[in-house]
């Protein structure tokens, strides 16, 4: 019942969300779309996967249906269910069935979080059959030619129980994402926050220093998303140290010792 999803459609000429390309991923995605192949985006959180899909959907002029997967998400949440109203039972398409019927791009963010029963519906959709079995109605929906399945997954969480099964991952064209090169990351920070070159250069320097820290007990390091948030606070008038503390240091850790090690790096970079 609690599938979280939003639909963005582009009935007229869409404005294309800004996306700074890293290394040819736009072309690869476009080829996969034309060849009717599903795509798997791998990479750490906050490195631009969602923005990439939004950008490509707008470029290809397809509606985008995004589902944030979580550990209660079942196949029925994706496919649909019968709802009772006015004494009648009425079939209600879930987000995946809607995308399959209407030729949208369906983006399942953090797909490994979803319940295992979702695999049963994803497999026949992700290979050359391109069908969505709807168990409750006995239907097999043939996907519209424009339908595309995109899933994302963060291998960095190191949760063996939550790895993608080989039989699932081998159905997808894989695109590997990472934090952008400094020049590109600077451009993203400036475009997303309105920060000037001095601020963006300093934040990228800070990111480089923080990403080098390997002796700290961090699940993940600073993402482009966190740098953009810090830049926005700085542009709004917050002192750099305060902005970095709130949006980077305290966002990365709850541990006092780790926080003070990160804060030292922040201090060293911004006092240069
Ligand atoms: P992910 O889906 O990988 O967790 P997002 O796509 O939500 O990350 O990216 C987080 C934010 O970082 C975006 O809202 C955007 O401001 C910025 N961002 C990251 N990478 C890019 C990029 N290549 N181009 C434009 N913005 C980016």
């Amino acid at each position: 019942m609690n599938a979280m999803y939003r639909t963005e459609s582009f009935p007229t000429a869409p404005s294309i969300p800004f996306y700074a390309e890293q290394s040819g991923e736009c072309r690869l995605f476009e080829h996969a779309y034309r060849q009717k192949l599903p795509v798997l985006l791998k990479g750490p959180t906050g490195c631009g996967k969602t923005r990439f899909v939004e950008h490509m959907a707008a470029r290809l002029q397809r509606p985008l249906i995004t589902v944030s997967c979580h550990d209660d998400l079942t196949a029925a949440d994706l496919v649909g269910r019968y709802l009772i109203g006015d004494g009648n039972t009425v079939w209600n398409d879930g987000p995946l069935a809607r995308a399959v019927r209407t030729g949208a791009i369906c983006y399942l963010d953090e797909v490994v979080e979803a319940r295992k029963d979702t695999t049963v519906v994803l497999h026949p959709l992700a290979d050359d059959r391109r069908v969505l079995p709807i168990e409750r109605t006995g239907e097999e929906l043939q996907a519209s030619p424009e339908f595309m399945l995109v899933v994302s997954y963060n291998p960095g969480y190191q949760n063996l129980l939550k790895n993608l099964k080989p039989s699932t991952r081998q159905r997808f064209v894989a695109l590997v994402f990472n934090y952008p090169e400094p020049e590109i990351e600077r451009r993203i920070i400036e475009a997303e926050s309105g920060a000037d070159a001095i601020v963006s250069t300093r934040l990228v320097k800070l990111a480089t220093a923080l990403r080098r820290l390997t002796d700290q007990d961090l699940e993940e390091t600073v993402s482009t998303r966190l740098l953009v948030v810090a830049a926005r606070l700085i542009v709004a008038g917050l002192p750099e140290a305060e902005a970095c503390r709130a949006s980077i240091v305290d966002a990365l850790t709850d541990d006092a010792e780790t926080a003070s090690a990160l804060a030292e790096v922040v201090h060293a970079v911004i006092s240069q």
Side-chain angles (χ1 to χ4, degrees):
M1 270 311 255
N2 46 0
M4 298 280 296
Y5 65 88
R6 60 198 147 91
T7 307
E8 291 142 28
S9 16
F10 306 108
T12 49
S15 67
I16 298 180
F18 166 71
Y19 176 73
E21 188 169 19
Q22 295 195 34
S23 61
E25 63 273 26
C26 296
R27 193 170 56 115
L28 214 155
F29 188 98
E30 212 164 323
H31 279 299
Y33 172 74
R34 307 249 177 256
Q35 294 301 315
K36 302 186 174 49
L37 296 168
V39 166
L40 161 68
L41 311 178
K42 291 200 276 190
T45 182
C47 71
K49 300 184 295 299
T50 302
R51 177 63 64 86
F52 171 65
V53 182
E54 289 167 351
H55 172 84
M56 291 310 299
R59 254 169 81 158
L60 295 166
Q61 301 194 356
R62 299 315 311 153
L64 175 65
I65 297 179
T66 298
V67 182
S68 301
C69 299
H70 53 81
D71 53 11
D72 278 338
L73 188 99
T74 62
D77 290 324
L78 292 177
V79 173
R81 51 171 50 87
Y82 282 108
L83 297 179
I84 302 167
D86 292 337
N88 290 326
T89 52
V90 185
W91 176 258
N92 207 292
D93 269 349
L96 185 60
R98 225 153 24 83
V100 164
R101 277 191 219 275
T102 60
I105 294 179
C106 188
Y107 175 43
L108 305 181
D109 192 12
E110 293 295 344
V111 69
V112 282
E113 295 296 328
R115 293 260 191 98
K116 289 288 160 265
D117 71 338
T118 53
T119 317
V120 178
V121 296
L122 294 182
H123 277 196
L125 202 50
D127 57 33
D128 53 8
R129 289 172 282 173
R130 283 175 59 89
V131 294
L132 178 67
I134 305 187
E135 200 193 331
R136 299 302 297 275
T137 63
E139 248 182 305
E140 281 217 327
L141 271 188
Q142 185 64 53
S144 153
E146 289 89 11
F147 167 77
M148 183 179 192
L149 179 62
V150 182
V151 302
S152 75
Y153 149 70
N154 181 350
Y157 285 141
Q158 312 261 325
N159 185 342
L160 281 180
L161 287 175
K162 284 199 167 161
N163 258 329
L164 271 187
K165 290 201 312 191
S167 56
T168 305
R169 62 194 303 153
Q170 288 188 18
R171 288 173 152 79
F172 290 83
V173 173
L175 270 176
V176 179
F177 281 71
N178 217 321
Y179 305 120
E181 293 294 313
E183 189 49 48
I184 299 176
E185 198 159 45
R186 239 188 344 253
R187 195 150 64 80
I188 295 169
I189 294 169
E190 289 171 23
E192 293 287 294
S193 69
D196 61 20
I198 297 171
V199 168
S200 67
T201 303
R202 203 146 42 215
L203 285 172
V204 169
K205 219 184 238 180
L206 174 61
T208 308
L210 290 173
R211 286 170 190 160
R212 263 198 226 115
L213 290 181
T214 48
D215 53 347
Q216 296 301 327
D217 189 20
L218 286 177
E219 204 168 4
E220 288 227 327
T221 184
V222 60
S223 65
T224 310
R225 175 190 286 121
L226 296 187
L227 298 178
V228 168
V229 174
R232 287 175 59 182
L233 293 177
I234 294 165
V235 169
L238 212 63
E240 282 185 32
E242 220 175 312
C244 292
R245 173 92 206 188
S247 61
I248 298 175
V249 174
D250 291 339
L252 287 176
T253 183
D254 296 324
D255 178 71
E257 225 172 273
T258 310
S260 99
L262 299 183
E264 254 176 54
V265 177
V266 170
H267 180 74
V269 172
I270 68 178
S271 59
Q272 274 173 8

